[in-house]
Amino acid sequence: MNALIVAGLLLVLLGVAYQSGWSRSRGLVTADGVKIHSRPQYHGSFVAIWAMVPTLVILGLWAWFGGGITRDYTVSLIPTDIMTSLDQVGLNAAIARIGALASGYGVTGDSPAWEQAAGDALRSFQMLTFVGVLVLALVAGGAALVYARSRIDARLRARNAVERVINLALLACSAVAILTTLGIVASLISEAFRFFTFIHPFDFFFGTVWNPNNAGSAGNWGSYGLLPLLSGTLMITAIAMLVAVPVGLMAAIYLSQYAAPRLRAVAKPMIEILAGIPTIVFGFFALVTVGPFLRDMGNLVGLTINATSALTAGIVMGIMIIPFVSSLSDDILNQVPRTLRDGAYGLGATQSETIRNVLLPAALPGIVGAFLLAVSRAIGETMIVVLAAGNAPVLRGSPFESVATITVSIVNQLTGDTDFTGPQSLVGFALGLTLFVITLGLNVVALYIVRRFREQYE
C-alpha cells in the first residue's frame, strides 16, 4: 500500500513539473529577434528531471538506511531484562513478532503485554517516519521544481541538458547489465574455489561417480564426479536439437517461402503457442504420455526403453524448443533482401536452388544465433528433465536409460537445509560455473561461424 502511495505521488509530481515547465516555455516572450533554443517539451522535461532527482535521492536514502533504523528502534522497545536473556536467534524472532504485530497480521495466539506495546509503538513509528520522509521528499521536489522553472528563458539549453541525462540513464542501464554479469561470474568463481578446497578439481571434472553424502562429516563428503551429469546434459541437449533444428528450420522455410498468406497467418501463431506453455506442463506430458508411448513402442520392436529416459526428455524438450528455432529463423529469412532472390530467379535458379544457395547463406548468421539460443535453452532446462529423465546420475551411453543433468543436480544440492559450509551445497556453484563455461564456449563457436560465413549485402 505504501509503495502505491509513493508511486502515485511521484507520478503526480512528475506531471505537475512537466506541465509547469511546458507552460512556462509557451509563455516566453522573446525580444530583439532572439529565438527559443529548446522546444516546450524539453523545458517540461528539464523541470521534471530537476523535481524528481532530489525526491528520488531522499526516498532512496530511506530505502537504504530505513531498515536499519527501524530495526534499531525495534530493539530499543524490548525490555532490558528480556533483552539480556535472548541470543541472536531469539532476538531475530522477537523482532519478527513485533514487526508482525505492527503490521496487524501474521501472529497467532496471545502475545506478552510488552510485545503488544512494542508493536503499537513500532506501528506509530513506521507511520510517522513514512509520512515524514514522504513530506520531506515532496518538499525537496517542489523546491527543485520552483528553482528549475525560474531558470527557463529563451537562451536555456534545456534540450542539451535533457539529452545528457538520457545518455547517463542509458549508460546506467548498460552498466547494470554488465555489472550484474560480472557479479554473477564473481560469485560463481569465489564459491566454486571454496568448493575446490574440499574436493580436488581433477576428481570433480574427471570423476565418473556422482554420489554426494549430504549427511557426511569432514573427510566423508562423498563423490562429486561431473562426467555422469555432463554426459546426461549433452545427451538430452543433442536429442532435443535433433528434433528442434530440422523441424523448426524446415517450418520456417515453408512458412516464409511456400505457405500461402492465409495458411501462414494461422500456422505461425499455432507454432508459437508452444513457447507460451509452461515447462512443467511439458514435463507432465513427457512423464504421462511420451514416456509410456516410447516404452510400449520399444517393446514392440524388442528394445528396452525406460519411460523416464534421456530419449523422453530430449524429444519433449525438442518439441518445446521448436518455436524458438522456427520463429527466429522465419524472421531472419524474411529480412533477406528481395533483390537477391529476384537475381537468382533471373539467372534461372529454381526456388529450391535459390533457398539453398542464396537465402540460407545470406541468413546464416541469424540462423546460427537462433540455434545458439535453442541450445542454451536446452542446456538450462530443468523441469522437463526433473520429471522425464529419471534423475539417475550414472555414466551411460544409451539414450534409452535414465540419466541426470547438471541443472537437476544443482536443484537437488541447493534445496533443503543448506549451510554453505561444506561441499554438499557449494558444489552447486561449481556446477553453475561449468554451465557458464559451456554457454560461453557455444557463443565463441557461434561468433566464429558468423564471422567466417558473413557476407555484406547492399
Side-chain angles (χ1 to χ4, degrees):
M1 185 63 183
N2 291 343
L4 293 177
I5 295 175
V6 172
L9 292 177
L10 287 178
L11 290 176
V12 171
L13 178 62
L14 183 64
V16 170
Y18 180 87
Q19 183 63 32
S20 176
W22 186 87
S23 61
R24 169 72 173 175
S25 176
R26 296 285 292 182
L28 287 177
V29 178
T30 61
D32 300 329
V34 178
K35 295 182 179 180
I36 299 177
H37 177 272
S38 303
R39 294 180 178 179
Q41 55 265 34
Y42 286 108
H43 289 114
S45 301
F46 176 80
V47 176
I49 291 172
W50 267 90
M52 294 303 295
V53 167
T55 305
L56 294 178
V57 168
I58 293 174
L59 293 177
L61 290 175
W62 178 250
W64 184 267
F65 297 104
I69 295 173
T70 303
R71 179 183 173 87
D72 293 339
Y73 180 76
T74 305
V75 171
S76 68
L77 298 174
I78 302 176
T80 306
D81 56 338
I82 297 176
M83 186 68 181
T84 55
S85 63
L86 295 176
D87 55 9
Q88 188 61 43
V89 176
L91 177 61
N92 292 334
I95 293 174
R97 289 195 303 271
I98 295 173
L101 289 170
S103 62
Y105 64 90
V107 176
T108 58
D110 297 331
S111 301
W114 70 268
E115 283 190 357
Q116 292 286 351
D120 295 338
L122 179 60
R123 186 185 306 113
S124 301
F125 175 80
Q126 290 174 337
M127 179 60 67
L128 290 175
T129 53
F130 172 74
V131 173
V133 170
L134 193 59
V135 170
L136 178 62
L138 292 177
V139 169
L145 185 155
V146 173
Y147 171 75
R149 191 175 187 276
S150 66
R151 290 187 55 191
I152 294 179
D153 56 28
R155 299 179 181 275
L156 178 64
R157 299 179 178 271
R159 183 187 64 195
N160 297 349
V162 170
E163 290 180 350
R164 281 197 299 269
V165 173
I166 293 176
N167 288 335
L168 290 175
L170 295 176
L171 178 62
C173 292
S174 302
V176 166
I178 296 173
L179 294 176
T180 300
T181 303
L182 293 177
I184 292 173
V185 174
S187 64
L188 288 176
I189 292 176
S190 62
E191 298 299 327
F193 273 111
R194 287 183 58 195
F195 167 75
F196 291 131
T197 60
F198 297 96
I199 304 299
H200 195 277
F202 184 86
D203 296 332
F204 174 72
F205 289 109
F206 300 100
T208 58
V209 178
W210 177 266
N211 185 25
N213 187 2
N214 292 329
S217 56
N220 186 24
W221 307 119
S223 301
Y224 295 87
L226 175 65
L227 292 183
L229 308 181
L230 184 61
S231 65
T233 300
L234 297 180
M235 185 184 299
I236 293 176
T237 301
I239 295 172
M241 298 311 297
L242 289 175
V243 173
V245 170
V247 176
L249 182 57
M250 296 304 172
I253 293 174
Y254 176 76
L255 290 175
S256 63
Q257 303 300 315
Y258 294 100
R262 288 185 178 181
L263 178 59
R264 174 183 170 84
V266 175
K268 187 172 182 180
M270 293 297 294
I271 294 176
E272 292 179 346
I273 286 176
L274 292 175
I277 299 176
T279 56
I280 187 66
V281 176
F282 281 104
F284 278 119
F285 174 66
L287 180 65
V288 176
T289 303
V290 178
F293 174 78
L294 293 177
R295 180 192 58 200
D296 296 339
M297 291 297 100
N299 292 333
L300 290 178
V301 298
L303 293 176
T304 302
I305 302 177
N306 292 338
T308 54
S309 62
L311 182 63
T312 303
I315 290 176
V316 176
M317 190 183 298
I319 295 173
M320 181 195 68
I321 294 173
I322 286 175
F324 293 92
V325 179
S326 176
S327 181
L328 291 175
S329 299
D330 177 68
D331 294 337
I332 293 162
L333 291 173
N334 286 325
Q335 292 176 2
V336 176
R338 181 71 185 180
T339 55
L340 294 178
R341 283 171 282 186
D342 293 341
Y345 293 145
L347 293 174
T350 63
Q351 187 172 15
S352 61
E353 290 173 340
T354 301
I355 294 172
R356 185 173 62 254
N357 298 321
V358 176
L359 194 63
L360 290 179
L364 182 63
I367 293 176
V368 170
F371 292 171
L372 175 63
L373 176 62
V375 172
S376 301
R377 185 74 174 85
I379 291 178
E381 176 54 37
T382 304
M383 292 310 302
I384 292 177
V385 293
V386 165
L387 297 176
N391 193 23
V394 180
L395 187 61
R396 291 177 173 139
S398 173
F400 303 146
E401 299 180 357
S402 300
V403 296
T405 64
I406 295 177
T407 54
V408 174
S409 299
I410 293 175
V411 173
N412 292 335
Q413 296 305 122
L414 295 181
T415 53
D417 296 332
T418 56
D419 56 3
F420 296 99
T421 58
Q424 297 92 342
S425 300
L426 295 175
V427 68
F429 296 95
L431 294 174
L433 182 61
T434 303
L435 281 181
F436 174 80
V437 172
I438 293 174
T439 305
L440 179 62
L442 291 173
N443 279 275
V444 172
V445 172
L447 183 61
Y448 169 78
I449 294 174
V450 169
R451 289 181 175 177
R452 174 67 177 80
F453 294 99
R454 176 181 296 166
E455 296 182 24
Q456 300 295 331
Y457 296 95
E458 297 181 357

